Amino acid sequence: QLQASGGGLVLAGDSLRLSCAASGRTFSISVMGWFHQAPGKEREFVAAFNWSGGITYYADSVKGRFTISRDNAKNTVSLQMNSLKPEDTAVYYCAAGNRMNSSPLKYDYWGQGTEVTVSS
């Protein structure tokens, strides 16, 4: 089970930190990622983190602005989002799977989503 939190309404240029807590069968998870979905658009990859190797992978649109990291003690993956832009506005979903991949089809478990709104 994945529980996402941390969304909100911010101004362009502000920062937000999203968190995703994993519980239950966490031993079966190798990768955790974040996706976002804007109204009327498909779900898009944002970032992913490899549980064992600490490897990270980012969409080009967020490189240099977003950072994905893991809190080992809490089985939590966070997404630090800096320099937010209005085009970052979307519902953000955390996901878990076994392969680092940008396709949402490759992830087996999903959180409920947390809404991020960036106002200009």
Side-chain angles (χ1 to χ4, degrees):
Q1 184 176 2
L2 303 177
Q3 183 72 36
S5 61
L9 170 63
V10 296
L11 295 175
D14 283 352
S15 299
L16 270 179
R17 187 176 183 88
L18 306 183
S19 293
C20 179
S23 60
R25 297 171 58 89
T26 57
F27 61 86
S28 65
I29 295 172
S30 299
V31 174
M32 289 187 72
W34 287 94
F35 290 76
H36 68 197
Q37 187 166 17
K41 294 189 176 182
E42 295 184 350
R43 194 166 295 189
E44 296 179 338
F45 172 76
V46 175
F49 183 95
N50 179 281
W51 213 249
S52 59
I55 299 170
T56 57
Y57 177 33
Y58 296 95
D60 288 343
S61 61
V62 306
K63 281 181 183 176
R65 298 190 298 124
F66 291 10
T67 302
I68 188 170
S69 62
R70 178 187 179 184
D71 182 335
N72 288 340
K74 298 180 180 179
N75 271 347
T76 299
V77 170
S78 297
L79 184 70
Q80 177 66 40
M81 305 188 295
N82 297 331
S83 302
L84 283 161
K85 304 176 181 180
E87 50 264 43
D88 296 319
T89 294
V91 177
Y92 282 71
Y93 298 90
C94 62
N98 291 310
R99 287 190 177 184
M100 188 81 84
N101 201 288
S102 61
S103 170
L105 299 177
K106 301 298 185 181
Y107 290 78
D108 301 311
Y109 306 98
W110 290 86
Q112 83 286 6
T114 184
E115 190 166 1
V116 172
T117 302
V118 184
S119 173
S120 57

